[in-house]
Amino acid sequence: AQSVTQPDIHITVSEGASLELRCNYSYGATPYLFWYVQSPGQGLQLLLKYFSGDTLVQGIKGFEAEFKRSQSSFNLRKPSVHWSDAAEYFCAVGESDTGRRALTFGSGTRLQVQP
Amino acid sequence: DTGVSQDPRHKITKRGQNVTFRCDPISEHNRLYWYRQTLGQGPEFLTYFQNEAQLEKSRLLSDRFSAERPKGSFSTLEIQRTEQGDSAMYLCASSAGSETQYFGPGTRLLVL
């Protein structure tokens, strides 16, 4: 079964600084990969996704992520963080070579933005 | 496109009571999913419908849990004889034949 690891439980960055959130997965084939963001008490909003093709994908709110097959990673980046980016970020994988539709999520990284 | 909606947004119940949650997917999305999220964790998959057929069920979905999607549109998730361990956020998502799932705001359940 696939698994997702987000090694950083909590990250604090200053407003305007760059950001990188780490995601590593375990899966036999190339999975479908997603990043979602969740504000307190809210549902999940899709930031970006990777299915195939160009390994650098652009998302909403200025986020991007890069799929690195050799490292089984899909790290999320943003060049300049805004205070409104403070939230919890989840990486998720879906199975690309079975009929299963369930997503497997990491345990999340909470981002705090300092003024 | 009004997004996925869930009702109620919050529910407080006493242990042993039954509760039912409703999810309305994005219009014309034929796939609907239920997840459970406990504090400090990522969502965990519970079950999945394609139209009215329930095609996947997680081992997390004990016999006290039942989900339906009778006409292939909205879905309900019922928990019978609630336990304190059922306290969580219950998230619904939908998709339209792709792998991209769009989530609703969730129903937060507190079992006293």
Side-chain angles (χ1 to χ4, degrees):
Chain A
Q2 71 272 30
S3 64
V4 181
T5 301
Q6 293 181 246
D8 304 304
I9 297 172
H10 185 217
I11 284 182
T12 300
V13 300
S14 299
E15 191 168 16
S18 63
L19 171 70
E20 182 169 28
L21 302 183
R22 295 183 290 165
C23 172
N24 293 94
Y25 67 88
S26 173
Y27 187 64
T30 298
Y32 301 127
L33 294 160
F34 306 86
W35 275 99
Y36 287 88
V37 60
Q38 186 177 36
S39 298
Q42 301 299 314
L44 281 73
Q45 181 182 21
L46 179 70
L47 286 176
L48 47 77
K49 61 190 177 186
Y50 174 79
F51 290 169
S52 64
D54 191 346
T55 57
L56 184 63
V57 293
Q58 303 296 321
I60 62 171
K61 304 185 179 185
F63 286 93
E64 66 177 27
E66 186 172 11
F67 168 58
K68 292 186 177 180
R69 185 191 310 274
S70 62
Q71 299 177 19
S72 297
S73 69
F74 189 57
N75 293 350
L76 182 71
R77 301 193 294 249
K78 187 170 185 179
S80 177
V81 170
H82 188 262
W83 64 267
S84 61
D85 293 325
E88 186 132 26
Y89 291 79
F90 292 96
C91 180
V93 302
E95 297 184 20
S96 59
D97 59 348
T98 71
R100 296 195 68 239
R101 304 297 176 194
L103 295 181
T104 299
F105 285 82
S107 55
T109 297
R110 179 166 299 279
L111 173 65
Q112 188 173 358
V113 181
Q114 288 182 334
Chain B
D1 183 350
T2 58
V4 178
S5 61
Q6 294 187 244
D7 185 70
R9 294 291 308 277
H10 303 273
K11 178 72 176 178
I12 300 175
T13 191
K14 293 182 179 179
R15 188 163 50 103
Q17 298 295 305
N18 299 343
V19 294
T20 300
F21 309 140
R22 176 179 170 125
C23 170
D24 287 88
I26 294 172
S27 178
E28 298 181 357
H29 276 195
N30 62 335
R31 294 176 180 165
L32 187 146
Y33 313 79
W34 286 99
Y35 290 81
R36 181 174 70 185
Q37 184 180 24
T38 53
L39 206 59
Q41 299 299 317
E44 296 173 292
F45 172 76
L46 292 178
T47 190
Y48 150 65
F49 291 86
Q50 180 160 310
N51 300 313
E52 65 275 9
Q54 188 173 19
L55 298 184
E56 280 185 63
K57 291 173 63 173
S58 162
R59 287 172 296 174
L60 292 175
L61 211 66
S62 76
D63 56 5
R64 295 186 298 106
F65 287 69
S66 63
E68 295 182 342
R69 195 182 184 200
K71 296 183 180 179
S73 56
F74 73 92
S75 174
T76 58
L77 177 68
E78 181 183 18
I79 309 174
Q80 296 182 328
R81 305 180 303 281
T82 53
E83 302 173 355
Q84 289 184 325
D86 297 330
S87 296
M89 173 83 90
Y90 290 84
L91 294 162
C92 177
S94 69
S95 69
S98 77
E99 305 309 317
T100 304
Q101 297 179 24
Y102 297 91
F103 284 79
T107 294
R108 182 168 295 282
L109 172 66
L110 177 61
V111 181
L112 301 176

